[in-house]
């Protein structure tokens, strides 16, 4: 019978593994720097289709990269909190797609920006509410519950688009308003980056403050660390988890508005594969999937790593390498993640 | 004492009370659901009652049932395998690539490796086993959450398929023998693959109900510590399950690309979710320790009835996503309700 190797680690004196803590704490930022450096050194042309020249070219690739990273950065903050509490949401991609479609439909039908914005956010909250309901009230395993909603939302999003048409866009007598790009694409106040980017940064800042200073953050860690102990300490686990799911839903809607605004249409496949990206980002950031610890800033760094890899690699390799590379990165991230944590558990 | 001994004894009736195992109870319930849905479909969907349609319901599900075998065993131990759809694409594409004649045409997708047919089958299967081994390693040795790792290997496998096909598919320059395996009909128009499926199901049910390996699978799922302390080598056991699941997916991939005489990088997209759905429909519990392959077969038939009804009613194909989600949801709630009531 194998003696649990972790036991001997736990019995170490506190303080002797400080080097490990430092590595664990900063490796994702180091990784980000490494990735950026590598990508700027390798500046091969690939068929002349992709942006050439330096990867670190501000007006070309960097602005593009930051603009494209708005959705994943927006979502990964709330997603991290959810993972910290030990729950998962696999439906983020479909929630994003459905919210984008709803937003586009509203715009196409003459809704004003603020009205459409608020309504879409509320809609995202409702989608997250449903997830929370399935998980907390009906006690369905988060994996299965969010797989169910993934399928449901994906189907509804596709159904809302007329058959034969790829996405909700200008056509058939109705056109998208001119200002549609103002949120997600055009420069905000001559700062080269769209408003959506700054909103995403603001969201992250707010969430980091929430995580470190507020009760929500502390309770998430408590629930993730030991759910029963949290419950017995008087934390309303169901309510907190439900709130987190709603938060993720709202953030998905926010990301959806940015994406729809950027592309000028509501694409029901907008969020396809987003869950993979967000999971990779969170894993790279060192958040443990068993819950109990994690950091939003590190997940954001992880998100940028993924974005650098996907758009940076686009300048070097053909697009059909992307899935393979993403998978490899995920597997490597998972290895890194497991090597750096003491307690291992399954969802 | 009497009840607990007989609880897992399949259909045996104990002396005194007539209790069948919970698994058989759920299987029978889902069978009833299948019959009910079939009846409703016959009433509302035009042409549903034709014999050919009924046969199609079974034969069109062959590949998902084969996947369901591997996924059921794994889910019983509490593990996921989401990589199966990627393995199907990968092994299919590899078998096409290996089989394509080694010409030097300008279009890269026309050139293959021109290997003898036996390698065309064996090498993709070995590659599938490799993916299964990676899955097993991460789940057993590194103790990573299986859903995350298998999503990753799914991306790796499908990514390999995408690289080999440069994102589309390979279907030219194939020797005649390539299309034989997937298109041989055995009885009437029923393909060989269906009989392979039936064979696998029979073997799987026998293993599940009558062998020590099968019982150990359930023990691992029900109480992993008890399994370890009873001397079960859990790591080895789960590794075998992952290898089997990957091998089954590889076989499906080779057969499918033989049937369609093409290797597409987008084949079986989303099939891992369907496989999970039928396994859940069949009564396998995600908590582990409970479920059966026969349930997965019934689950596959239920899904088949639902999707072909949707097609028959001329609903848009996008409805399938909604229907699958709804059906899974209802199944989970209903099964939990039925089992809770039964225990009272």
């Amino acid at each position: 019978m194998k003696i649990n190797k972790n036991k001997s680690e736990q019995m170490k004196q506190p303080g002797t593994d400080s080097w490990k803590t430092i590595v664990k704490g900063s490796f994702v930022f180091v990784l980000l720097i490494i990735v950026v450096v590598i990508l700027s050194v390798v500046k091969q042309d690939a068929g002349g289709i992709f942006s050439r020249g330096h990867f670190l070219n501000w007006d070309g690739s960097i602005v593009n990269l930051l603009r494209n990273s708005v959705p994943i950065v927006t979502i990964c903050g709330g997603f991290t909190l959810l993972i910290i509490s030990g729950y998962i949401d696999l439906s983020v991609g479909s929630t994003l797609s459905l919210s984008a479609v709803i937003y586009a439909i509203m715009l196409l039908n003459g809704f004003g920006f603020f009205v459409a914005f608020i309504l879409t956010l509320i809609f995202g909250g409702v989608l997250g509410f449903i997830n929370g309901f399935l998980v907390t009230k009906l006690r369905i395993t988060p994996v299965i519950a969010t797989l169910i909603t993934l399928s449901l939302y994906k189907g509804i999003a596709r159904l809302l688009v007329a058959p034969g048409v790829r996405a909700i866009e200008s056509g058939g007598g109705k056109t998208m308003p001119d200002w549609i790009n103002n949120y997600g694409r055009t420069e905000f106040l001559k700062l080269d980056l769209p408003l959506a980017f700054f909103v995403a940064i603001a969201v992250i800042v707010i969430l980091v403050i929430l995580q470190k200073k507020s009760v929500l953050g502390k309770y998430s860690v408590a629930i993730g660390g030991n759910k029963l102990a949290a419950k017995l300490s008087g934390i309303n686990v169901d309510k907190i988890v439900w709130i987190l799911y709603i938060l993720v839903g709202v953030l998905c809607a926010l990301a959806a508005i940015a994406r729809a605004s950027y592309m000028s249409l509501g694409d029901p496949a907008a969020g396809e594969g987003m869950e993979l990206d967000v999971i990779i980002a969170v894993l790279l950031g060192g958040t443990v999937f068993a819950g109990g610890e994690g950091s939003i800033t590190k997940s954001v760094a992880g998100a940028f790593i993924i974005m650098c890899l996907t758009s940076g690699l686009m300048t070097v390799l053909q697009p059909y390498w992307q899935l393979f590379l993403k998978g490899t990165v995920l597997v490597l991230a998972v290895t890194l993640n497991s090597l750096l944590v003491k307690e291992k558990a399954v969802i | 004492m009497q009840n607990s001994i007989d609880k897992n004894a399949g259909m045996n009736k104990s002396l005194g009370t007539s209790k069948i195992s919970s698994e058989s109870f759920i299987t029978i319930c889902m069978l009833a659901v299948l019959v009910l849905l079939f009846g409703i479909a016959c009433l509302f969907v035009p042409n549903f009652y034709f014999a050919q349609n009924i046969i199609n319901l079974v034969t069109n599900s062959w590949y998902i049932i084969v996947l369901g075998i591997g996924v059921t065993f794994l889910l019983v131990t509490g593990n996921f395998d989401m990589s199966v759809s990627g393995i199907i694409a990968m092994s299919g594409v590899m078998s096409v690539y290996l089989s394509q004649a080694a010409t030097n045409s300008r279009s890269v997708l026309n050139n293959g490796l021109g290997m003898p047919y036996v390698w065309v089958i064996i090498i993709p299967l070995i590659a599938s086993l490799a993916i299964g081994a990676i899955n097993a390693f991460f789940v057993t040795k590194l103790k990573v959450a299986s859903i995350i790792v298998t999503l990753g290997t799914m991306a790796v496998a499908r990514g390999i398929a995408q690289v080999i096909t440069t994102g589309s598919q390979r279907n030219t320059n194939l020797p005649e023998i390539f299309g034989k395996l997937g298109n041989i009909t055995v009885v009437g128009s029923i393909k060989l693959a269906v009989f392979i499926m039936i064979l696998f199901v029979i073997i799987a049910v026998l293993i599940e109900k009558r062998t020590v390996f099968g019982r150990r699978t359930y023990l691992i799922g029900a109480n992993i510590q008890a399994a370890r302390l009873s001397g079960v080598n859990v790591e080895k056991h789960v590794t075998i399950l992952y290898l089997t699941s990957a091998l089954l997916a590889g076989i499906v991939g080779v057969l499918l690309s033989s049937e369609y005489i093409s290797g597409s990088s987008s084949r079986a997209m989303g099939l891992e979710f369907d496989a999970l759905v039928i396994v859940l429909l069949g009564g396998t519990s995600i908590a582990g320790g409970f479920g059966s392959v026969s349930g997965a077969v019934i689950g596959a038939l239920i899904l088949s009835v639902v999707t072909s009804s949707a097609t028959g009613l001329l609903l848009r194909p996008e409805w399938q996503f909604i229907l699958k989600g709804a059906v899974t949801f209802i199944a989970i709630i209903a099964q939990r309700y039925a089992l809770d009531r039964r225990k009272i």
Side-chain angles (χ1 to χ4, degrees):
Chain A
M1 190 175 86
K2 254 199 213 165
I3 300 202
N4 194 355
K5 198 168 31 156
N6 291 333
K7 256 223 159 86
S8 57
E9 281 180 4
Q10 283 165 15
M11 291 206 276
K12 263 196 208 144
Q13 306 294 331
T16 57
D17 57 354
S18 54
W19 67 267
K20 211 180 189 190
T21 323
I22 296 177
V23 168
K24 194 168 140 185
S26 59
F27 84 95
V28 65
F29 301 109
V30 170
L31 205 57
L32 180 57
I33 297 176
I34 293 178
V35 165
V36 168
V37 165
I38 291 182
L39 283 174
S40 28
V41 164
V42 180
K43 37 188 175 82
Q44 239 173 297
D45 239 323
I49 320 175
F50 310 114
S51 91
R52 278 169 260 203
H54 262 88
F55 173 66
L56 280 183
N57 178 6
W58 172 260
D59 264 336
S61 33
I62 294 249
V63 168
N64 230 9
L65 184 132
L66 291 177
R67 248 198 324 228
N68 280 331
S69 58
V70 166
I72 190 175
V73 167
T74 316
I75 298 180
C76 79
F79 196 83
T80 310
L81 276 180
L82 189 64
I83 299 279
I84 291 177
S85 72
Y87 290 77
I88 194 171
D89 185 354
L90 291 170
S91 66
V92 285
S94 309
T95 310
L96 190 150
S97 306
L98 185 51
S99 309
V101 167
I102 295 285
Y103 180 71
I105 291 179
M106 280 196 258
L107 287 195
L108 209 55
N109 285 306
F111 282 63
F113 176 68
F114 283 109
V115 176
F117 191 88
I118 301 287
L119 283 180
T120 310
L121 289 186
I122 295 178
F123 184 73
V126 168
L127 296 180
F129 180 88
I130 296 176
N131 274 332
F133 177 71
L134 292 178
V135 171
T136 59
K137 283 289 168 264
L138 296 184
R139 299 248 170 266
I140 303 180
T141 318
V143 170
I144 300 293
T146 53
L147 279 178
I148 291 177
T149 47
L150 182 156
S151 197
L152 271 171
Y153 298 163
K154 188 194 278 199
I156 299 176
R158 286 175 193 213
L159 271 184
L160 285 174
V161 178
V165 176
R166 194 181 68 98
I168 309 274
E169 51 192 343
S170 307
K174 302 196 191 134
T175 51
M176 287 289 191
D178 304 328
W179 44 261
I180 186 175
N181 280 331
N182 283 358
Y183 180 68
R185 194 181 201 133
T186 50
E187 298 81 42
F188 182 64
L189 299 181
K190 303 257 188 304
L191 280 171
D192 282 352
L193 286 167
L195 176 60
F197 180 75
F198 298 105
V199 170
I201 300 293
V203 162
I204 294 294
V205 168
I206 294 176
L207 284 176
V208 170
I209 296 177
L210 266 179
Q211 183 196 15
K212 292 210 196 304
K213 302 276 184 222
S214 86
V215 173
L216 185 67
K218 299 272 180 253
Y219 282 175
S220 310
V221 175
I223 296 173
N226 187 331
K227 188 153 68 160
L228 187 57
K231 203 182 277 189
L232 292 173
S233 311
I235 298 177
N236 188 342
V237 170
D238 285 352
K239 188 170 89 171
I240 299 288
V241 169
W242 208 334
I243 291 177
L244 287 175
Y245 272 107
I246 297 176
L247 177 67
V248 170
V250 169
L251 290 176
C252 288
L254 190 59
I257 297 175
R259 177 58 62 87
S261 160
Y262 178 72
M263 296 174 58
S264 309
L265 45 77
D267 185 358
E272 204 87 15
M274 175 73 68
E275 32 296 318
L276 205 62
D277 290 348
V278 177
I279 288 177
I280 296 179
V282 168
L283 273 175
L284 285 173
T287 305
V288 183
F289 266 84
E293 60 177 298
S295 147
I296 294 182
T297 36
K298 289 193 211 151
S299 296
V300 171
F304 279 118
I305 294 179
I306 262 285
M307 286 313 300
C308 287
L309 284 174
T310 45
S311 52
L313 283 167
M314 288 269 273
T315 65
V316 178
L317 289 171
Q318 305 280 23
Y320 51 76
W321 279 95
Q322 263 206 23
L323 188 58
F324 174 71
L325 289 164
K326 262 194 210 172
T328 322
V329 168
L330 177 51
V331 172
L332 287 174
V334 151
T335 321
L336 265 171
N337 199 304
S338 73
L339 287 176
L340 289 174
V341 297
K342 286 187 186 155
E343 306 239 322
K344 291 155 190 170
V346 289
I347 293 181
Chain B
M1 218 26 195
Q2 192 71 1
N3 286 345
S4 62
I5 293 176
D6 289 339
K7 207 164 160 113
N8 282 326
M11 299 281 236
N12 296 337
K13 296 192 175 194
S14 68
L15 313 166
T17 61
S18 69
K19 257 190 158 134
I20 57 177
S21 79
S22 290
E23 264 125 20
S24 308
F25 173 68
I26 287 286
T27 309
I28 293 179
C29 280
M30 296 320 280
L31 194 58
V33 168
L34 174 64
V35 170
L36 181 70
L37 281 177
F38 182 72
I40 296 178
C42 287
L43 285 177
F44 288 105
V45 180
N47 299 330
F48 209 76
Y49 194 62
F50 285 133
Q52 186 58 42
N53 192 36
I54 299 175
I55 294 178
N56 282 346
L57 285 177
V58 177
T59 57
N60 283 343
S61 318
W62 74 264
Y63 49 88
I64 198 159
I65 293 179
V66 173
L67 288 183
I69 295 175
V71 174
T72 302
F73 273 91
L74 278 169
L75 200 61
V76 164
T77 63
N79 290 306
F80 290 92
D81 190 355
M82 306 297 269
S83 60
V84 285
S85 69
I87 296 178
I88 292 179
M90 180 187 79
S91 69
V93 161
M94 281 179 90
S95 73
V96 171
Y97 183 56
L98 289 165
S99 183
Q100 275 179 317
T103 59
N104 250 320
S105 98
R106 294 195 59 201
S107 163
V108 135
L109 288 180
N110 279 339
N111 305 336
L113 293 175
M115 305 192 82
Y117 194 57
V118 63
W119 293 119
V120 164
I121 300 190
I122 291 190
I123 294 184
L125 292 183
I126 296 181
S128 314
L129 283 173
I131 300 280
I134 297 176
N135 283 336
F137 173 71
F138 278 93
V139 171
T140 59
K141 282 281 176 292
L142 296 185
K143 309 249 186 296
V144 179
S146 60
I147 186 141
I148 303 296
V149 127
T150 52
L151 277 178
T153 44
M154 191 257 286
V156 169
R158 195 174 281 282
I160 293 177
Q162 285 188 346
V163 169
I164 298 182
T165 59
T166 66
S168 60
Q169 56 172 309
R170 282 178 179 270
N171 50 19
T172 53
N173 264 341
L174 286 165
E176 233 201 77
I177 190 176
F178 189 77
K180 289 267 163 65
L181 198 61
N183 287 308
I184 299 179
T185 57
V186 177
V187 175
S189 66
I190 303 182
K191 297 203 169 89
L192 173 68
V194 176
F195 288 93
I196 294 181
M197 176 265 287
I198 295 178
L199 177 68
F200 282 160
V201 168
I202 294 177
I203 296 177
V205 173
L206 283 174
I207 292 181
E208 166 191 293
K209 290 209 188 305
R210 298 250 185 255
T211 65
V212 174
F213 186 84
R215 298 328 304 170
R216 278 188 182 156
T217 312
Y218 285 97
L219 180 58
I220 294 176
N223 189 333
I224 196 169
Q225 291 294 9
R228 277 217 186 90
L229 293 170
S230 310
V232 174
N233 186 341
V234 173
E235 268 97 40
K236 190 167 93 168
H237 196 107
V238 171
T239 305
I240 295 177
L241 291 179
Y242 269 108
L243 289 173
T244 313
S245 175
L247 184 65
L248 288 172
I251 294 175
V252 168
V254 168
L255 284 171
L256 277 178
S257 56
S258 171
E259 181 180 329
Y260 291 110
I261 317 192
S262 81
S264 162
S265 61
S266 58
R267 181 162 296 143
M269 202 82 141
L271 205 65
E272 71 279 1
F273 181 54
D274 288 5
L276 195 59
V277 166
I278 66 156
V279 169
L280 289 170
L281 279 175
T284 304
S285 157
I286 203 147
F290 186 91
S292 88
V293 171
S294 37
V297 172
I298 296 180
L301 293 175
I302 292 180
L303 197 66
S304 197
V305 167
V306 167
T307 49
S308 64
S309 306
T311 319
L313 287 173
L314 298 178
L315 290 176
R316 285 174 62 184
E318 288 84 358
W319 272 99
Q320 307 233 345
F321 294 107
I322 300 184
L323 286 169
K324 282 178 198 161
V327 158
T328 316
F329 175 70
I330 296 174
I332 296 221
I333 301 292
Q335 281 165 10
R336 185 182 309 154
Y337 180 69
L339 280 176
D340 283 346
R341 289 230 22 217
R342 198 170 183 244
K343 292 215 162 73
I344 292 176

